[in-house]
Amino acid sequence: MTEHDIRGRLPMIVILAVFLLVPSFDTALKYFGVIGVAAYFLVGTVVLFATYRYFLPVFFSAVSEKAALYIAIALFIGLAALAIYMWPIANSGRVGSGSDADDALLIAANELASGRYPYYVTTYLGNKIGPMPGSILLSLPFSLTGTIQLQNVFWLVIFFVTVRHYEKSSLAALALLALILILSPTVLQNIATGIDYVANSIFVMVFMWVLVRSAAADRSRLVFNGIASAGALGIALSSRSTFFLLMPLLLSVLVQNTGWNNAIKYLSISAGVFIAVTVPFWLYDPLGFAPLHIQGAKLTSVEGVLPFASIIVPLSGAVLAIILSFQRMNKDCSRFFLNCAIVQLFVLIFTATLYSLKLHRLDLYMEQSGYGMFTLFFGVTAAWMYILRKYPESFVDAREPGLTA
């Protein structure tokens, strides 16, 4: 690998660093202050560059596809054990303040399963239920079986399987997962505390990925997969409003790869399912539908800094998404995911800036709520796909056995 090659690859490493490290700035700030944030980004970027330059070529050449799969299985068993062990400790309050995000899903799911309106109850911290109905429905298998702490681990497994399938390499999927777990402490914090942000961002991204890839195929089985994933995406979108900003990009990538008719068909399915899942809960009690008020309050609370922030911030994100939707986005979803990450990072930084001005101190992000997770998986997946494709010569010899395994 020549010095010219290294310089040419540096921008991709920086892009990966931004979307992998910036979402965990809140954790770095909480424990190490502003200097810690700067050091974290600098050291993390150097580690990524060194990993790309020295470790990955060795890893791809020395580890087989079968071994990578076994390592991944062992890793997920370890993550499950970590979640089971740490979750009660985190919720006990003995280490940190914990989180009631998991409690919100647990309570809401049990209320719903008992035939009661899930938004009349509050968590043990006295907070109302923030997730929309889709998140509650997708959490039911975990909430009702007492395994809510494993929800993030389950969706990390789905993330690994999806990357492995579309990249045709267990090695590539394992390397990406390892980088996320090693360099993003907020991901581990989500796993330990049961906060569902990791799961939420993954299931939205995966359903979008399957939809675009399946809709762009001609085979009938994949068309069925596209319809199924469009329906699943409708449920997933009924989770948090930030994902609505990605709809212009999703429309564009579908139109570019499947045509207007198919794009409208699939998005109509998603919209129909979203309405069927969400609107009945709103109609039952518009004033009691807590997600509408809680998610909106995050921006209305900073309108003293920026008047009409609740309109300006999402509108700015939507305009950015529309502008980016004019770019060429292929069915592999690399550019689509990168644009999704850019839009969400823009909104995140915009909102964090307003909170910092309101509080007269640096706030990352929105009083350390961990919302950076909603951009991380889109961004790192896109950057990783670019790294594997744009400069394949450094990996092709090592990846070849995996591609034919």
Side-chain angles (χ1 to χ4, degrees):
M1 186 179 296
T2 66
E3 290 299 319
H4 175 74
D5 292 334
I6 295 173
R7 288 194 298 270
R9 291 158 190 169
L10 183 58
M12 286 296 163
I13 303 301
V14 173
I15 291 173
L16 178 61
V18 167
F19 290 108
L20 179 57
L21 303 175
V22 171
S24 287
F25 276 5
D26 57 338
T27 302
L29 181 67
K30 179 179 179 180
Y31 293 104
F32 304 107
V34 177
I35 295 177
V37 171
Y40 166 64
F41 185 77
L42 178 61
V43 173
T45 303
V46 171
V47 169
L48 282 174
F49 180 74
T51 298
Y52 183 86
R53 175 66 177 86
Y54 300 106
F55 175 73
L56 283 184
V58 175
F59 176 75
F60 273 86
S61 61
V63 181
S64 67
E65 281 290 299
K66 183 177 291 186
L69 189 57
Y70 289 150
I71 293 171
I73 293 172
L75 178 60
F76 287 123
I77 292 174
L79 288 175
L82 174 68
I84 292 171
Y85 176 75
M86 289 299 301
W87 184 66
I89 296 176
N91 281 281
S92 70
R94 296 198 303 269
V95 180
S97 58
S99 170
D100 64 348
D102 54 333
D103 190 55
L105 289 175
L106 277 171
I107 294 173
N110 281 281
E111 289 293 297
L112 184 61
S114 300
R116 295 186 292 269
Y117 191 64
Y119 294 109
Y120 287 153
V121 292
T122 59
T123 69
Y124 70 90
L125 293 180
N127 295 320
K128 294 183 178 180
I129 307 300
M132 294 170 68
S135 280
I136 299 174
L137 292 176
L138 289 171
S139 75
L140 281 175
F142 306 97
S143 299
L144 299 183
T145 57
T147 58
I148 191 66
Q149 68 270 37
L150 296 179
Q151 181 177 217
N152 286 321
V153 178
F154 171 81
W155 284 105
L156 280 171
V157 173
I158 299 300
F159 174 73
F160 171 84
V161 171
T162 306
V163 174
R164 177 179 181 268
H165 175 71
Y166 288 127
E167 292 303 303
K168 299 180 175 62
S169 172
S170 297
L171 287 164
L174 177 60
L176 176 58
L177 180 64
L179 286 175
I180 292 172
L181 293 175
I182 293 171
L183 292 177
S184 179
T186 304
V187 171
L188 292 176
Q189 182 189 47
N190 273 224
I191 292 173
T193 61
I195 300 174
D196 66 318
Y197 297 161
V198 167
N200 196 173
S201 56
I202 290 176
F203 62 62
V204 170
M205 190 192 81
V206 166
F207 292 149
M208 286 181 171
W209 204 349
V210 177
L211 171 58
V212 173
R213 294 295 294 262
S214 300
D218 295 329
R219 288 169 290 181
S220 58
R221 180 178 64 84
L222 293 181
V223 171
F224 173 79
N225 290 347
I227 294 173
S229 58
L233 179 60
I235 299 175
L237 290 174
S238 180
S239 54
R240 288 178 173 87
S241 56
T242 181
F243 297 113
F244 298 161
L245 299 176
L246 308 183
M247 291 303 99
L249 292 166
L250 181 59
L251 172 63
S252 177
V253 72
L254 286 172
V255 169
Q256 291 184 45
N257 293 282
T258 70
W260 278 100
N261 289 338
N262 281 330
I264 293 174
K265 176 183 73 175
Y266 288 118
L267 287 184
S268 296
I269 294 172
S270 295
V273 172
F274 171 83
I275 291 171
V277 167
T278 309
V279 171
F281 289 90
W282 176 75
L283 288 176
Y284 183 83
D285 187 352
L287 294 178
F289 188 60
L292 186 64
H293 309 295
I294 293 174
Q295 297 185 24
K298 292 179 175 66
L299 290 175
T300 56
S301 65
V302 293
E303 290 191 340
V305 177
L306 177 65
F308 307 107
S310 59
I311 298 174
I312 294 174
V313 173
L315 181 61
S316 300
V319 170
L320 178 59
I322 292 171
I323 293 172
L324 293 175
S325 69
F326 287 98
Q327 291 183 337
R328 175 60 190 169
M329 294 182 283
N330 295 324
K331 66 180 181 180
D332 70 353
C333 290
S334 55
R335 172 59 65 175
F336 168 60
F337 286 158
L338 181 59
N339 288 337
C340 289
I342 290 171
V343 170
Q344 293 184 96
L345 186 62
F346 167 79
V347 173
L348 180 69
I349 292 176
F350 194 172
T351 308
T353 300
L354 295 177
Y355 267 77
S356 297
L357 292 173
K358 174 187 175 182
L359 299 172
H360 303 291
R361 58 176 171 81
L362 184 63
D363 181 76
L364 301 169
Y365 297 99
M366 287 156 282
E367 299 187 272
Q368 301 168 353
S369 296
Y371 292 116
M373 288 298 97
F374 298 136
T375 190
L376 185 146
F377 286 92
F378 284 94
V380 299
T381 303
W384 191 242
M385 292 164 73
Y386 271 106
I387 288 172
L388 295 179
R389 284 165 174 72
K390 188 172 179 61
Y391 305 108
E393 67 274 11
S394 60
F395 298 108
V396 66
D397 293 337
R399 291 181 70 208
E400 191 63 27
L403 295 175
T404 57

